[in-house]
Amino acid sequence: MTKKWVYRFDEVSTPDKMLLGGKGANLADMTKHGLPVPPGFTITTEACHAYVAAGNTLTAEMEREIDEAISALEARSGKRLGDATDPLLVSVRSGAPISMPGMMDTVLNLGLNHESVKGLARTTDNPRFAYDSFRRFIQMFSNVVLNIPIHYFERILDDAKNKHQFSGDQAVTAEVWMDVIQSYLDVVRHQTGRPFPMEPRDQLEMAIGAVFSSWNNPRAAVYRKVHQISESLGTAVNVQTMVFGNMGNDSGTGVAFTRNPSTGESELFGEYLINAQGEDVVAGIRTPSAIATLQTEMPAIYDQFVSLCRQLELHYRDVQDIEFTIERGRLYLLQTRNAKRSAQAAVKIAVDLAREGVIDKETALSRLKPEELDQLLHPSIDERVELEVIATGLPASPGAAMGQLVFDADRAEELAHSGTRVLLVRSETTPEDIHGIVAAEGVLTSRGGMTSHAAVVARGMGKPCVCGCDELRIDEEKGLCTVGDTVLREGDMVSIDGGTGRVMLGEIHLVPPTMSDAFETLMIWADEVRSLGVRANADTPEDAEKARSFGAEGIGLCRTEHMFMASDRLPVVQEMILASTHEERRDALERLLPMQRDDFYGILQAMDGCPVTIRLLDPPLHEFLPNLEELVAKQAALRTELSLRETEEVRDALRETSGLLSKVRALHEMNPMLGHRGCRLGLTMPEVYEMQARAVFEATAQLIEEGYQPKPEVMIPLVGHVEELRRMRELVERVCKEVQAVRTLTFQVPIGTMIEVPRAALTADEIAHSADFFSFGTNDLTQTTFGYSRDDAEGKFLHTYVESKVLQANPFATIDVDGVGQLVRIASARGRAEKPKLKLGVCGEHGGDKASISFFHQSGLDYVSCSPYRVPLARLSAAQAAIEDETDEKGGKGAAAQVS
Amino acid sequence: MTKKWVYRFDEVSTPDKMLLGGKGANLADMTKHGLPVPPGFTITTEACHAYVAAGNTLTAEMEREIDEAISALEARSGKRLGDATDPLLVSVRSGAPISMPGMMDTVLNLGLNHESVKGLARTTDNPRFAYDSFRRFIQMFSNVVLNIPIHYFERILDDAKNKHQFSGDQAVTAEVWMDVIQSYLDVVRHQTGRPFPMEPRDQLEMAIGAVFSSWNNPRAAVYRKVHQISESLGTAVNVQTMVFGNMGNDSGTGVAFTRNPSTGESELFGEYLINAQGEDVVAGIRTPSAIATLQTEMPAIYDQFVSLCRQLELHYRDVQDIEFTIERGRLYLLQTRNAKRSAQAAVKIAVDLAREGVIDKETALSRLKPEELDQLLHPSIDERVELEVIATGLPASPGAAMGQLVFDADRAEELAHSGTRVLLVRSETTPEDIHGIVAAEGVLTSRGGMTSHAAVVARGMGKPCVCGCDELRIDEEKGLCTVGDTVLREGDMVSIDGGTGRVMLGEIHLVPPTMSDAFETLMIWADEVRSLGVRANADTPEDAEKARSFGAEGIGLCRTEHMFMASDRLPVVQEMILASTHEERRDALERLLPMQRDDFYGILQAMDGCPVTIRLLDPPLHEFLPNLEELVAKQAALRTELSLRETEEVRDALRETSGLLSKVRALHEMNPMLGHRGCRLGLTMPEVYEMQARAVFEATAQLIEEGYQPKPEVMIPLVGHVEELRRMRELVERVCKEVQAVRTLTFQVPIGTMIEVPRAALTADEIAHSADFFSFGTNDLTQTTFGYSRDDAEGKFLHTYVESKVLQANPFATIDVDGVGQLVRIASARGRAEKPKLKLGVCGEHGGDKASISFFHQSGLDYVSCSPYRVPLARLSAAQAAIEDETDEKGGKGAAAQVS
């Protein structure tokens, strides 16, 4: 069967987003449901691929189908493309399967030329409007299709307005527009060497081609990368009859959300401009009126619109982002799509929709991207500290951000790459600024509303944004901006609060986040659904408490080395390490014992009743010692000094430095990651683990005596051979018995191991003999499975690998299912085959990554453990994994039922 | 069934070495075959375990069975233990399942006391002999059983001889022996606080207990460790009727080998002493006569002995090491065992026995320990250089050794541990010197013959040894020795040639080894049997030639980085690495290209017709740069100097050093083993691999043009993901096509990869898509599978791990079958499933290890590659693996036949 390249909106029965793009599918869907959509047709995403494959050319087949569709449009409207009396005008817009607002090209008013403009002037009885439309078309077409920079046209327009002293575009007369048009056409001829194409069919084909080509323009590529959208989707093209919001004061155009996309409140939210075309709203050039005003200006239209909004929300079962135009008192919907929203709004909307019965809880849970939750747990502004608010704009995307002012997207990227936090300040942003927004902590604009480019894009990325802050006077040329008397220059520190619109001088104080009611509700729903447990990685009572408040069911990884690093312990730790006799070492360990006991007491108390997995000392000992290079430098300096100016002091200092250096050097390692650490320390220096085990058990005993329910679990790191674990288990059990004997208490303490080197995974059946639990240390397991040192790889080649797609993702962020994941599955299967009740968890950073969590759920693990702030993300991800599982199963059952 | 603890020699039907020990089984076997063995019985190795388990006590059951056996002995001989008229005397000797010569204890003449000695004097009519025997017994028993140091007794003996001016032991009269005995008994009473046990049954039980206990003495433990003998074997005890070689000049005792154990020549080889006991020969106190002399001294005995030797060799199908005693003209065999032999002899004997039809070729191949071949390939003395020979001793164990003189075993060990090569010089060695022999390069003694302790032990270890060099006067107290006028002290450099007995002053020049005819023959047999290919690792034409001469069938690993290290290239390599522009880098690479081309030309030429696997650059680039620490020190020194004494020169030097330092620092890595190396370099800096590929292909083209048949294979290191290999393959193939186009030539070059990180093994099916071959880099695979950095592990904890049996072996020496081996099997199976013709090899050091080679054979690999000198070892190991396989199969078939 040959492919069909073109579909009229009214001939589509089941709108397929992949084929028609999001916009095309929506327009067809709305048409099908009788909504007031201007007629038109869609050229498919398949045509996009075919167009590119044919060398950026429309095939004869496509041309034929486009002709047919245009004829149908002409027949339906009674107008003809290019007609000198009653011309049909169309818009040509992109529409990919996944919405990429503003990233690709659009051409409006197509079909105008010297003849048809007269027809338009006649039928509308409005020559000013007709010629304005013509010049808009030329400008847009020239920029989008012919690639002529916009400033050529802006200059001409400015000159014309200055010359005639017009206050704005609206004041320009038809005659002046004709002059402007002539100048525009001269620019085109001069820039391209050819006249502007006046034949409407040529215009149409060129515009369609340009939209297809725009799929591959650089800003679209950046957007796709940021939003992880596949390169292979392609875009469809929608050709639609033009309706005009700029036909006078009974006309207008606007954009509205069925709920507030920033807060999630259930209120119609949007903006419109009277007597304007759509791009005037989106580009943020004129500041529009709030949608509520429409109720008084055009009550009937407003009521119709409210009713349509409700209808659309119920139909799509989600908040809609709607473009509408009013042409001489008649309402048209040009587009509807699921609205982009802030993370805060996403949570509230999902919960509200579920409560309203529009969607079920599972759908509510599935709607959210787990990583969005991260934003909600970012610190917010501490209002108790006085703020120097210098201006207030629109609260376009919530969250607090601070950074050095930058006026240019390239510069923002450059500074951010060098590690500076920047805040991008622009009069208005355009799609060309996308990389600057990615690089910035937040965005501040002086023009444009809540639906302007900056606002939409920032919300999509979860970046704080304040829009339309018109107190700000930006002089981009001079690289400064003024707010009243204050002059700000590049590099000045400024903060914004995207939740209130405030702009503040200097840095701000932040306070830890809390969870909103909707958030809490969502988490409860997630917990109902998920089967995977969620613990946190925490080393202090404070972190443990925070984790618990975010819903952690235990501590999956309590690292004991961080405790060793505390300034009051480090000297004792160093004494212990550098001890030359067993007595000295025992003495230092005895002084460390009460400190460690206090550590464990605090954490076990904070997690009362919940399991706390305590990992015995893991890193190589030299991490606790002075830096080798510094000692080398110091020794060399002292030697030189001694040779030039001998003193007793220098000689003593040199002796001391050399002594320390030789000890540090003896502990130095070529590859510390693979060196003398983990249980290798435990086996060669058992007194250290002994002390730690004693501290755990003494703290446990004390808590039990005080009426608590401590649940410690002891974890042996870096086991590669069962014999290592067997011996360390013996040691820990011995100490446990000793403490229990002294305190005349009995308590059970599970003893397990990290699975973090491939050999442990491969011999998991043997290791399971001596383990009550496995905890996958996926960071180290990734290092050893790939043979990557994370410290070196990320700076030296991993970036290039991901960039150039040697690897699809950074394996330290998202688990490598084929390699590392294979070992996780092998170890789980072999471990459980040997010991069916073996508890399996993950304590690498992957425990806080959605895709990885989904894999761990599928692999049948018992829990993941992640940093406290990622606990909600993990709870949601686990719920989503369970829901996906159920969906798959249902699909599976359904399929099976069909077969039988 | 209760256990039987004691077996008479003549009641054993199938001698079981594990139960009776090697000696016991042999004595029973010889008895069974009618050989003249003095009657006796064996107490089993099981009794040894039971003895230790019972707290070093003989159980009542054992005592009863010993009593019965003694009674049987008494009945057979008509003599009684402790009898005052005709006493039965017995020897009590250890006998483990694996021979450990001299390591455990022996007591002779047991049964003597003040009464029975008179009986002995009477029946032999030789009071001198009887009292000599008694004093020998007291001395030996006191030393072995009562742990009294031997020097107490030696002092008394020396005093007595001096007092009476006896020239030697033989001259001592019965009366003087009686005095000596009295003094001995005083020493015993004084040292132990109790009288010497005079009751023969007590003597017997104590002696048996002492032998059992001696299994665990330190020198036996060291010996077992060196020879990898299991701790759990235990020793048996043999109680045997004494026969006396010291009953006069018609008596004698000796040790003989049925072939020369040093050279392997087929000639009766041994020594004897007239009128002496066995330990006189073994201890090397008197220099014995060569066995050939016996032909003239006692022709009948000699003929009988020669005939018995032949009988024994045919019976045991191996060269025998026989202890014999002639008692008043009657020949007794006290022991026979498979002879220890030098590696050279082992090869010759195995080949000769096979040629004589005594064994088949497979048996000949199986007889040799592959690691012994190593010794044969050690360099030998360059005879063209003049040698300063200062003395000549007996050529006791072949090979050349040089080192600093050391007179003491402890000192030898100490110096060797600090990295000094030492030569151990002793008058004679004793089992207490074993650790010194282990530590030394070679052994030189002034006393003792070819069968003395030093000679036997050194041959067993493959250490060069010169014995009985009586020109040497050793003064251990003063720590010097003299040879004629030359005085040598500790630390003086001396060389020995164990093949000729020469002792030389100073260092000697060595020449590369060649293979003997027997060796060549053996290798040909090995090649007939083995299925596993053997290649060599070689980086230079010289090494390649050597490898070829040893039978390598190709080069399995040609490392290109060693070429980069050559002094004429390093500066260019550094320029290339530190280049700040692409042009600079290309320029340096262009200068490297002809050098690399020459390298490859040379190797491919040397290996004409054989495959040469060339690995592209592997190590991290900073390995080619100046040392970071040194630069840090230099910078610090210059800074200090500048602050104290500012000069233009210092300022310039500091600037330069700081510049270099910052570049070196930028390339520095935390864990270089896991860092930016291997194909990661190839992907981020493709021009380097491009140059190397070009060099390979240009060299290939040139050789083809000159009529050679070069067979290069290009190997991409450190691949972990198929995409890495795919891209590097693309690059190499492109360069290959470019070179072929220019030279108008066509040649095929297989392109493959190392499998050296776990992820590569786990995803071998995918990787096989882009690979023509896999080469297992088992060194790195071991590092990543265990998570061990070899550089750090071996010095820091691996030693302890092996020592304390956390690991059974060093996984870098012998492949870890369970973990690393599992990955090898996974990768082989998945790779071959994807691509059945995929060639599989090993190029880690395990390719030269017998146990590992056996595993690789079983895993179905195509070849191993090892260092040139290990090629013969690998050929033999591969043959043995094939033979074991066949044996297993036969066994398997047999078993299957039984079942059906």
Side-chain angles (χ1 to χ4, degrees), chain B residues 560-561 564 615-619 621 624 678 681 688-689 692 717:
Chain B
T560 54
E561 56 267 24
F564 276 29
R615 180 176 72 185
L616 301 187
L617 194 67
D618 184 48
L621 295 181
F624 302 103
L681 288 174
V688 178
Y689 275 19
Q692 294 197 297

Side-chain angles (χ1 to χ4, degrees), chain A residues 77-152:
Chain A
S77 63
K79 300 178 177 184
R80 290 174 55 79
L81 209 57
D83 192 51
T85 50
D86 192 5
L88 173 69
L89 300 189
V90 296
S91 62
V92 178
R93 293 173 200 257
S94 63
I98 293 174
S99 169
M100 297 165 55
M103 288 304 123
M104 285 180 304
D105 295 328
T106 293
V107 178
L108 302 178
N109 301 337
L110 188 142
L112 285 173
N113 57 21
H114 290 304
E115 302 309 312
S116 59
V117 71
K118 289 175 195 154
L120 184 64
R122 246 193 312 274
T123 53
T124 59
D125 196 18
N126 190 343
R128 201 208 63 79
F129 159 71
Y131 286 94
D132 183 15
S133 299
F134 192 19
R135 74 91 197 171
R136 280 173 189 262
F137 166 60
I138 295 167
Q139 181 173 332
M140 214 166 198
F141 188 95
S142 299
N143 179 236
V144 166
V145 182
L146 306 176
N147 292 314
I148 301 172
I150 201 79
H151 68 80
Y152 285 105

Side-chain angles (χ1 to χ4, degrees), chain A residues 629 665 724 801 822 830, chain B residues 629 665 801 822 830:
Chain A
E629 258 190 53
R665 204 193 288 286
E724 296 174 309
Y801 266 35
Q822 190 181 146
R830 295 187 185 171
Chain B
E629 258 190 52
R665 203 193 290 284
Y801 266 34
Q822 189 180 148
R830 294 186 186 171

Side-chain angles (χ1 to χ4, degrees), chain A residues 842-858:
Chain A
V842 167
C843 63
E845 278 168 57
H846 300 94
D849 170 69
K850 153 76 179 148
S852 308
I853 289 171
S854 181
F855 170 77
F856 297 137
H857 168 85
Q858 285 160 24

Side-chain angles (χ1 to χ4, degrees), chain A residues 565-585:
Chain A
M565 285 291 186
S567 59
D568 55 332
R569 286 118 188 251
L570 197 55
V572 188
V573 172
Q574 292 183 344
E575 265 181 61
M576 184 272 285
I577 296 168
L578 298 175
S580 30
T581 67
H582 269 282
E583 289 67 44
E584 277 176 41
R585 174 160 298 142

Side-chain angles (χ1 to χ4, degrees), chain A residues 586-600:
Chain A
R586 291 228 170 256
D587 175 62
L589 284 168
E590 260 166 43
R591 278 177 291 147
L592 283 172
L593 175 63
M595 304 183 194
Q596 283 255 292
R597 191 171 50 217
D598 286 354
D599 296 330
F600 297 138

Side-chain angles (χ1 to χ4, degrees), chain A residues 11-23:
Chain A
E11 69 172 330
V12 175
S13 52
T14 47
D16 173 359
K17 272 176 90 164
M18 293 307 290
L19 183 69
L20 303 175
K23 184 181 286 182

